[in-house]
Amino acid sequence: MLPLLLALPLQTFASSDAHWTYQGDNGPDHWGELGGALENAQCAKGHAQSPIDINMQQVQHQKVVADDLHINYERSSLKLANNGHTIQATLDVNNTLTYKGEAYRLLQFHFHTPSEHQFNHQSYPMEMHLVNQGKNGQLLVLSLLIEEGKKNHELAALWEALPRIKGKTAVLNEKTAPDLGKLLPEHSKHAFYQGSLTTPPCTEAVQWVLFEQPIELSHQQIEQFRQLFPDNHRPVQPLNGREVDED
Ligand SMILES: [Zn+2]
């Protein structure tokens, strides 16, 4: 049984499995029409959607300070699942962060290829999203851009366990699971903005925190993911006057 805290907001993820895809008739341009009634209307009608292309010449520096963000991630056992859209890891407790005095708990992380966010029109081979939830159900997603480089040893065991078939799962124990704290770039600036989930139902009021410094995966690791999901990214969405801050 889920703690009461989680029972409601998890619907945000679960309610919209209505046959959406990344290509073709049920692809991103049609997400708003899928499902019953207004289930996914935000995907088409929302004005604060994600991902976005971040113009580094236009980021604002005065509103966020480095002290606003404290991440306390560590190694904790997790369950991996191939849900047909991505590989998603669901975590047990232990991983928390605070942002502007609010506490959040890490619920899950997952991967996209190519990256969903862009910096100055540039996309990356992959992007990792770590989805955190606050006491009142509010969501904060940490984004790590992934570039091709050295083999990522922190993610190596997880990569070997990637479930290849939709519906399949795998478990990583405390020894094999990645230390998420060590995975994060040590000296990175962050970009902050208000957006949405990047998958149906595209729910808004999501706080985004993007590490500007990418992490590395090897060519082989990236190819391994692409064999399972050749393209699972949503295209960039209009900024509509939103402000992007930097610490
Ligand atoms: Zn995502």
Side-chain angles (χ1 to χ4, degrees), residues 96-180:
T96 59
L97 65 80
T98 57
Y99 177 65
K100 294 190 170 176
E102 289 282 329
Y104 294 81
R105 184 163 87 79
L106 179 61
L107 298 179
Q108 51 103 335
F109 62 83
H110 60 266
F111 301 88
H112 299 273
T113 184
S115 72
E116 299 203 300
H117 287 92
Q118 298 180 355
F119 281 97
N120 295 336
H121 306 305
Q122 190 198 352
S123 58
Y124 289 77
M126 289 187 68
E127 183 170 343
M128 177 177 177
H129 289 158
L130 300 116
V131 181
N132 304 266
Q133 188 175 55
K135 276 201 298 290
N136 302 316
Q138 75 273 30
L139 295 175
L140 182 155
V141 185
L142 280 188
S143 159
L144 293 178
L145 296 156
I146 298 175
E147 65 181 4
E148 187 179 315
K150 291 197 288 288
K151 179 176 178 179
N152 192 309
H153 291 285
E154 208 57 63
L155 288 173
L158 188 152
W159 236 245
E160 274 158 35
L162 293 179
R164 301 186 61 80
I165 297 164
K166 182 181 174 181
K168 291 286 181 196
T169 60
V171 172
L172 293 188
N173 63 29
E174 295 237 9
K175 286 193 180 125
T176 50
D179 183 331
L180 295 171

Side-chain angles (χ1 to χ4, degrees), residues 71-104:
I71 302 170
N72 314 300
Y73 287 174
E74 56 190 41
R75 195 184 305 279
S76 67
S77 54
L78 56 84
K79 183 174 155 193
L80 280 181
N82 181 328
N83 63 17
H85 305 298
T86 186
I87 301 289
Q88 184 162 304
T90 315
L91 291 109
D92 304 328
V93 285
N94 289 343
N95 290 277
T96 59
L97 65 80
T98 57
Y99 177 65
K100 294 190 170 176
E102 289 282 329
Y104 294 81

